[in-house]
Amino acid sequence: MPTYHAKVFVTLKPSILDPQGRTVERALSHLDYANVSGVRVGKYIELTLSGERAEVESQLADIVENVLSNPIMENARWELEEAREVAGA
């Protein structure tokens, strides 16, 4: 059964205020990184799934939309690649 490695990226929608991003931006400014602006903070999640690719993609889409993100406030995207076996493992 094939195994897949998924990377999930979740960010707040542009219309949603990001207090954590604003705090990071202010901290950077105080550390003399005054040229940095528009900081937004999000989530990065990795998962390993096994099964046929079509089933895994469907399951991952469901997980991302219903568990890992709030579609009302957040945008989410994912990448899926077949996991490579490590030689000698």
Side-chain angles (χ1 to χ4, degrees):
M1 181 174 300
T3 302
Y4 297 91
H5 181 75
K7 298 175 183 177
V8 180
F9 304 87
V10 180
T11 56
L12 289 171
K13 290 186 175 184
S15 61
I16 303 295
L17 294 176
D18 184 357
Q20 189 176 6
R22 183 69 183 119
T23 300
V24 171
E25 187 174 318
R26 279 195 310 270
L28 291 170
S29 178
H30 290 300
L31 294 170
D32 293 328
Y33 296 105
N35 63 324
V36 177
S37 63
V39 177
R40 306 284 288 178
V41 175
K43 299 181 276 188
Y44 171 72
I45 303 136
E46 292 186 6
L47 301 94
T48 301
L49 302 99
S50 56
E52 296 306 316
R53 186 171 184 102
E55 293 172 6
V56 166
E57 285 180 349
S58 176
Q59 182 182 32
L60 180 58
D62 186 55
I63 290 169
V64 169
E65 185 173 327
N66 295 307
V67 179
L68 300 179
S69 70
N70 176 348
I72 295 171
M73 298 177 50
E74 298 171 317
N75 292 319
R77 68 178 179 84
W78 48 267
E79 299 171 2
L80 186 66
E81 61 183 29
E82 193 161 352
R84 292 169 179 73
E85 294 202 23
V86 178

